[in-house]
Amino acid sequence: MTLASVSWTQARSWRLERHLLDPIGSLGPHDVVRRLCAVQAQVPSAAELAIRLRQRTSEPGEVGAALAAGELVRTWAMRGTLHLLAPEDAGGYLSLLAAGRTWERPSWIRYFNVRPADWPPLREAVREALDGRVLTREELVGTIIARPAFAHLAQELRSGWGTLFKPLAWQGDLVLGPAQGNRTTFTSPWTASATWGGVPPADEAAPVVIAAYLRAYGPATVEHFAAWLSRGWMGKRMQTRWFGELGDRLVAVEADGDEAFVLAEDLDELLATEPTSGLVRLLPAFDQWVLGPGTDDAHVIPPGRRSAVSRTSGWIAPVVVLEGVVAGTWGLDGDDLRVTWFAEAGRVATRALDAEVARLGSILGRELTLSLMEDGRG
């Protein structure tokens, strides 16, 4: 069978449009998040910037207002990290993570001393505590450990890693509530949002989630999806089955020798896409542009530059993107925006970079000065 053929330059250009980066979009925070499936929100300021950089006009605080209004929720999702999600969609993504049943692994049971039979009463305790209420971590922990069966979990529940809370999040028992100063709070998803859609069965959610992923990050493989969803700790067999069950809704394309999937309904648009020329974008830390396909995707991050982007302790650096490929990193020191340009990206696109620095400055509400350094290592 002859596959439809595209170039990765063409595919990235199509993806830039899907990401509201070329052209910049006009959607509000809720719809931007839906378009990207989710936005990583370990660092709330980076999540807000990721959204605002995809909007022609925006105001500070709009993302927080969307959270307060229940138009978004913040909870542990893909790869066990905090994300913003649309509440009507969130349960589908969480369902696929819950399908991994990580809390039933022998290593979990040994370490936490929580057996599979303990989870129903633990979930019940959490749901009862959060029904119609917002509790600080300490208040919620106090409620849980008041039950003698869970008293031994006090230290782990108080840990900032939130490891024991993640299975509860994936099963739809809790989301993060509004911060109280520097204190984390929790509430039930039904309390957080009137449009919470519940957590459907994984096999029901999978085709919806995979379709949403491919609309944002296609062409993509099962491996791309697995890296985005769980960084590979879920069984590939299950995810391969989910892809297979989409049947004729998926088509394979050949992209510069690589075989990957897109939705059949998107194929004509992808084939008609003209490659982008000279487009520069500044994207914040933990941006979905690099997290969606995974930091080991050589079509987005040059292989020799992965360590410059994916750093220690899970930090994902702010990046400069040229025609969809990471061409450098950046950081702010006061009003000084310091760009490290990768030499192999070619001549610095000075005019486009200056325009993007000015756009970022307008979003941040201050004038930025560009400092440029070339890095020849790769």
Side-chain angles (χ1 to χ4, degrees):
M1 182 179 67
T2 301
L3 303 181
S5 181
V6 298
S7 68
W8 275 111
T9 302
Q10 189 178 16
R12 284 190 298 267
S13 297
W14 180 79
R15 198 183 291 172
L16 284 165
E17 187 277 329
R18 298 301 306 161
H19 274 244
L20 306 168
L21 293 172
D22 185 28
I24 300 299
S26 57
L27 301 177
H30 167 269
D31 291 331
V32 173
V33 170
R34 291 195 84 188
R35 185 76 166 249
L36 301 177
C37 299
V39 171
Q40 185 159 325
Q42 293 286 122
V43 180
S45 59
E48 180 177 31
L49 188 54
I51 293 169
R52 296 188 67 193
L53 282 166
R54 290 168 165 86
Q55 298 175 288
R56 284 201 292 269
T57 60
S58 65
E59 295 292 335
E62 285 182 344
V63 175
L67 274 167
E71 296 170 7
L72 295 172
V73 293
R74 183 171 178 246
T75 193
W76 285 284
M78 281 65 78
R79 304 173 305 283
T81 58
L82 290 170
H83 279 70
L84 299 176
L85 300 106
E88 62 269 38
D89 301 332
Y93 298 104
L94 300 175
S95 175
L96 300 197
L97 291 159
R101 311 295 291 183
T102 54
W103 58 91
E104 294 181 355
R105 294 178 179 179
S107 58
W108 262 69
I109 296 169
R110 286 194 304 270
Y111 185 82
F112 293 110
N113 192 22
V114 181
R115 299 160 300 168
D118 295 327
W119 281 94
L122 176 57
R123 294 182 63 197
E124 179 186 17
V126 170
R127 287 183 174 228
E128 287 181 358
L130 296 177
D131 185 18
R133 303 169 68 195
V134 175
L135 299 181
T136 65
R137 181 191 298 271
E138 192 59 37
E139 289 169 337
L140 179 57
V141 170
T143 299
I144 294 171
I145 65 175
R147 300 194 178 198
F150 305 126
H152 68 286
L153 298 177
Q155 182 175 347
E156 291 296 338
L157 288 168
R158 291 187 175 109
S159 166
W161 293 106
T163 305
L164 277 173
F165 286 117
K166 293 176 186 181
L168 296 165
W170 298 337
Q171 294 175 91
D173 299 327
L174 60 79
V175 297
L176 271 70
Q180 295 183 6
N182 61 358
R183 294 190 299 175
T184 298
T185 71
F186 299 96
T187 190
S188 81
W190 294 271
T191 301
S193 176
T195 58
W196 172 253
V199 179
D203 285 349
E204 178 183 316
V208 177
V209 171
I210 292 170
Y213 177 81
L214 290 175
R215 287 189 195 102
Y217 304 103
T221 63
V222 176
E223 289 76 16
H224 287 123
F225 179 78
W228 168 77
L229 183 69
S230 64
R231 204 180 283 115
W233 49 254
M234 288 180 63
K236 184 180 176 182
R237 180 180 300 178
M238 180 164 51
Q239 293 171 84
T240 301
R241 175 174 63 81
W242 288 337
F243 266 70
E245 289 174 353
L246 269 81
D248 292 343
R249 291 189 64 194
L250 296 187
V251 293
V253 298
E254 188 268 334
D256 294 337
D258 299 325
E259 186 173 320
F261 294 107
V262 296
L263 291 177
E265 64 196 60
D266 291 332
L267 180 60
D268 288 345
E269 183 180 283
L270 172 61
L271 294 174
T273 298
E274 294 293 331
T276 297
S277 177
L279 180 79
V280 171
R281 291 288 182 245
L282 294 173
L283 301 177
F286 303 101
D287 195 81
Q288 294 303 125
W289 183 258
V290 297
L291 290 175
T295 58
D296 59 352
D297 186 337
H299 303 296
V300 174
I301 301 176
R305 296 297 186 175
R306 188 184 182 200
S307 62
V309 177
S310 183
R311 300 176 180 173
T312 57
S313 303
W315 180 262
I316 305 298
V319 294
V320 186
V321 170
L322 173 64
E323 298 174 1
V325 178
V326 173
T329 59
W330 64 272
L332 279 174
D333 183 4
D335 292 337
D336 185 17
L337 192 149
R338 299 179 176 180
V339 168
T340 299
W341 186 268
F342 300 156
E344 67 271 20
R347 189 176 65 180
V348 178
T350 307
R351 183 175 299 179
L353 185 56
D354 285 341
E356 191 68 357
V357 171
R359 188 170 78 92
L360 177 61
S362 70
I363 290 171
L364 298 178
R366 60 187 197 264
E367 187 173 344
L368 302 177
T369 302
L370 174 63
S371 298
L372 189 61
M373 179 179 72
E374 189 173 292
D375 183 352
R377 295 170 297 170

